[in-house]
Amino acid sequence: MVASAPTRSLPVIPKYDVIEEIGHGGMATVYRAMDKRLAREVAVKVIHPHLRESAEVAHRFVVEAQAVAKLRHPNIVEVFDVSAEDDPEKFLVVELIRGATLRKLVKDEGPLPPEVAAAIAIDVLAALIHAHAEGVIHRDVKPENVLIEHTPSRSADAPNRVRVKLTDFGIAKLLDAQGVTSTGQVLGSPAHMAPEQIEGGAVDARADVFGVGVMLYEAMVGHLPFEGQNPAQVLRRVLEGQYPSAEMEQPTIGKRLSVILDRSLAHDASERLESATVMRELLISELGRVGIDSPSRELEAYFDDPEGYKTGHTKRTIAKLCDLAQIARKDGRALDAAADYNRALAYAPNDPQLLRIVARMQRDAARRRMLQRAWPLALATVVTMVAAYFLTGVIKNRQHPLPVTNDTSTASALATPSASALASASASAPASASASVAIALTTTAPTATVKVERTITLTLVPPNVMVAIDNGEGERKSTGDKITLNERDHVLRFGCADDACETQTKAIAAGKRDDAISVELKIKQATIVVSHADANVNLGIEEYPGITVSVGRPVSVIVPSYRFVTLIDRNNPTTHRQKVDVRPGHQTDVEKF
């Protein structure tokens, strides 16, 4: 067992009885306290000593606190009090929220159902809309700063049983203005910062839209859009603006929500969703489209029974998406129909009816693309044939002009040859002519059916996966490999050996042309549990500097390129180290470090 950390002495705050520490962050320590005058429990955030030593920082802290204190909104943690400039401690007294952070929720539950994550974001955006109207930019929107308080109730009519609260307004601005963040020690989640904020440019409300986009992506997908093994790598990836789409990482998110995330995460602020209001309206509209008219009720249903909600949500969502897709198909909106059917298929990848529908739509789309490419050539061919016909007629008329006559019998004979004339012509025809007629008749006879084979070229991530055709056995394939299919519909299933990654299904529409497909499979996390370690050991993982290992608590890592990680004692990493064999999708138990 690791020895417990020594108990910190509780600060002395005038007018408040400090009861216990309830949180600790890069800027402040949070305590539960009792307001002596109003007899209510509050949260007191006491700024770390190294920050309050600067008189300028202390002064700006008070100014920022006063600005935030004017915000009054149901989704913002209310500020009750702030320290005076001459107080020895610099502190904020705020509303006490008895709940967990969004960070803890995602850590405990994994990716949230997309509509639940969107409902949380809707409340966060409501808080930002109010703050922006008052001229306050948050600048540090992240899961750690979103608190969720759930009040169970047997009464379905009890209102506001889930409260989403945004906290820590103005802190990033305060620290950034004094260069505190330049050491990299305070804003520990650079992946949530907008590019213009990292580069030191002008920051406005669109930086908060970016922060909500990162937060919502992580809540839906289960990991950050911009990842790296250290803060420098993360910052570089934010500035490059490259990340995998949410729909690709988690197909159950669907195209529409993924596009909203992409628009909120645009690298250039001028191309980003222009305000929190616009982003909130888009999310509300999409939830309404899939049958969720009250995001707050949806949150209550989820927090009352998370597992039961997930089961029911999947069934309801599939049914609703199929209904919407059918309507879109009837209206001729093929892309909208495909987006809804594909999301439904992500929830039920083996549903035969959905597979047939998606394959049929892909086949229809391929036929439309072929016709779009072919019609100019067909039109040109028709024009050429018509022109050639008339030109040939003109040439023949000039070479063999018909006699002009008023003899109706001659005209009739020219118009319709008699049967005897046909017979006579046939009898007098040379043998070669008869042969040519025979050949012509032979070529119009039905031909035997020829079996058509087509080649599908694979691009795979990771480069080696197991591929099964229809209901067959899986075979190991690599990037660049080809598989041969006949012209009928097929379903390809992709997975990894030892169940190391999430499986994926691709419907291949009927056709005769060779094709190429790309598949990117998500590697499952590997889990490590250390059962015992010496009391003075500070456990970490060498390959993942940002991860702390606690005895008895599972730690999850992604190991796409190697099967070993190295446990180290951060206090003495050169001598106290141990290699651990880990496998994606499995748990490795380390009995003793």
Side-chain angles (χ1 to χ4, degrees):
M1 295 290 292
V2 176
S4 59
T7 304
R8 298 185 181 91
S9 58
L10 298 177
V12 176
I13 307 292
K15 303 180 291 186
Y16 300 94
D17 283 333
V18 179
I19 300 170
E20 61 177 345
E21 179 182 330
I22 57 175
H24 190 83
M27 178 183 174
T29 302
V30 186
Y31 300 91
R32 182 168 65 91
M34 178 65 71
D35 185 329
K36 297 178 183 178
R37 297 169 301 169
L38 299 177
R40 65 178 176 186
E41 286 192 325
V42 294
V44 179
K45 297 186 176 185
V46 180
I47 307 304
H48 293 326
H50 71 276
L51 295 178
R52 68 170 181 257
E53 287 172 359
S54 166
E56 180 64 17
V57 169
H59 171 73
R60 289 187 62 85
F61 172 73
V62 174
V63 172
E64 290 296 328
Q66 290 172 344
V68 176
K70 68 184 180 182
L71 301 179
R72 293 286 189 276
H73 191 274
N75 297 116
I76 295 177
V77 172
E78 189 173 354
V79 175
F80 295 143
D81 196 3
V82 63
S83 57
E85 292 195 23
D86 56 352
D87 281 337
E89 300 278 8
K90 298 304 172 189
F91 61 88
L92 272 178
V93 180
V94 301
E95 178 183 7
L96 179 65
I97 304 299
R98 302 180 184 276
T101 64
L102 179 58
R103 164 69 62 220
K104 185 176 186 306
L105 178 64
V106 174
K107 182 178 179 181
D108 292 346
E109 298 292 333
L112 303 180
E115 281 71 25
V116 171
I120 293 172
I122 285 169
D123 280 352
V124 172
L125 289 163
L128 291 172
I129 291 168
H130 175 74
H132 295 165
E134 296 293 333
V136 177
I137 309 299
H138 192 290
R139 299 168 61 100
D140 196 23
V141 179
K142 57 186 179 183
E144 290 85 345
N145 289 337
V146 177
L147 303 174
I148 304 171
E149 185 178 66
H150 171 230
T151 303
S153 173
R154 295 182 180 179
S155 172
D157 297 328
N160 302 322
R161 293 191 295 106
V162 175
R163 297 197 299 162
V164 178
K165 297 273 190 173
L166 184 59
T167 188
D168 281 356
F169 277 85
I171 289 177
K173 181 178 179 182
L174 164 69
L175 299 174
D176 203 28
Q178 296 304 315
V180 180
T181 59
S182 62
T183 64
Q185 63 182 355
V186 177
L187 290 180
S189 298
H192 294 271
M193 298 167 64
E196 63 270 23
Q197 189 175 351
I198 294 173
E199 293 176 327
V203 173
D204 59 22
R206 292 170 296 183
D208 284 347
V209 170
F210 187 93
V212 176
V214 176
M215 179 200 77
L216 183 54
Y217 183 107
E218 185 177 9
M220 288 184 175
V221 175
H223 65 77
L224 288 161
F226 309 101
E227 293 186 298
Q229 294 188 1
N230 54 61
Q233 286 184 0
V234 173
L235 289 171
R236 184 165 60 251
R237 286 171 185 171
V238 174
L239 292 175
E240 291 171 350
Q242 298 297 319
Y243 63 93
S245 74
E247 183 188 25
M248 184 183 73
E249 292 292 281
Q250 199 73 262
T252 54
I253 292 171
K255 186 69 174 178
R256 290 173 177 270
L257 287 172
S258 188
V259 168
I260 294 173
L261 288 172
D262 290 342
R263 294 180 64 191
S264 68
L265 293 173
H267 180 272
D268 190 336
S270 64
E271 298 176 358
R272 205 173 297 154
L273 291 175
E274 55 267 38
S275 68
T277 300
V278 171
M279 186 176 184
R280 186 171 186 267
E281 288 175 351
L282 288 172
L283 291 174
I284 291 174
S285 175
E286 177 56 19
L287 262 58
R289 196 182 73 89
V290 296
I292 298 175
D293 297 324
S294 174
S296 61
R297 288 293 189 190
E298 203 71 13
L299 289 180
E300 291 171 3
Y302 173 77
F303 283 99
D304 284 345
D305 181 13
E307 292 306 316
Y309 174 90
K310 291 176 184 177
T311 301
H313 172 265
T314 297
K315 294 178 181 178
R316 290 191 306 270
T317 303
I318 292 173
K320 184 63 177 179
L321 289 171
C322 289
D323 289 345
L324 291 168
Q326 288 177 7
I327 294 170
R329 287 185 72 187
K330 290 178 181 178
D331 293 344
R333 294 180 286 111
L335 292 178
D336 291 340
D340 287 331
Y341 273 133
N342 279 329
R343 187 181 176 200
L345 188 61
Y347 279 111
N350 298 316
D351 186 286
Q353 184 177 0
L354 280 174
L355 287 171
R356 284 194 298 271
I357 292 172
V358 172
R360 189 182 308 123
M361 291 188 66
Q362 291 176 342
R363 185 167 62 250
D364 292 344
R367 186 181 297 115
R368 284 194 299 272
R369 289 194 298 269
M370 182 182 68
L371 290 174
Q372 288 171 353
R373 290 193 297 266
W375 79 262
L377 178 61
L379 180 60
T381 302
V382 170
V383 171
T384 303
M385 291 176 65
V386 170
Y389 173 81
F390 282 107
L391 182 60
T392 302
V394 170
I395 293 173
K396 286 183 177 180
N397 287 338
R398 288 181 177 177
Q399 292 177 344
H400 306 287
L402 291 174
V404 179
T405 177
N406 293 322
D407 188 349
T408 57
S409 63
T410 304
S412 176
L414 286 171
T416 309
S418 65
S420 60
L422 285 172
S424 174
S426 176
S428 61
S432 59
S434 299
S436 66
V437 172
I439 291 172
L441 291 174
T442 302
T443 56
T444 58
T447 58
T449 302
V450 178
K451 184 177 180 181
V452 177
E453 290 188 342
R454 51 191 169 134
T455 300
I456 309 297
T457 304
L458 302 174
T459 300
L460 305 171
V461 179
N464 295 288
V465 305
M466 303 298 292
V467 183
I469 302 173
D470 299 325
N471 294 319
E473 295 292 328
E475 294 184 8
R476 187 179 296 276
K477 297 290 183 182
S478 302
T479 290
D481 284 353
K482 303 177 187 298
I483 59 176
T484 301
L485 302 175
N486 60 29
E487 71 274 19
R488 297 194 302 271
D489 292 335
H490 294 281
V491 175
L492 303 184
R493 290 176 173 81
F494 300 85
C496 295
D498 299 325
D499 195 31
C501 58
E502 304 288 347
T503 59
Q504 194 173 137
T505 301
K506 288 277 188 180
I508 306 298
K512 299 179 181 180
R513 298 180 58 184
D514 293 344
D515 203 353
I517 60 174
S518 298
V519 175
E520 183 169 351
L521 301 181
K522 181 179 179 182
I523 303 294
K524 292 183 178 179
Q525 291 186 328
T527 304
I528 305 169
V529 179
V530 178
S531 301
H532 181 76
D534 294 336
N536 58 344
V537 168
N538 180 14
L539 275 178
I541 300 176
E542 187 172 57
E543 293 80 3
Y544 298 90
I547 294 179
T548 299
V549 180
S550 300
V551 172
R553 297 187 62 181
V555 174
S556 296
V557 296
I558 296 178
V559 284
S561 57
Y562 45 81
R563 287 286 297 273
F564 289 92
V565 297
T566 308
L567 287 174
I568 59 172
D569 177 5
R570 288 172 172 167
N571 298 329
N572 198 356
T574 56
T575 58
H576 291 69
R577 51 199 297 119
Q578 179 178 334
K579 278 198 172 293
V580 178
D581 185 6
V582 294
R583 290 192 299 158
H586 296 78
Q587 177 174 305
T588 299
D589 295 313
V590 179
E591 293 185 1
K592 184 176 181 180
F593 177 83

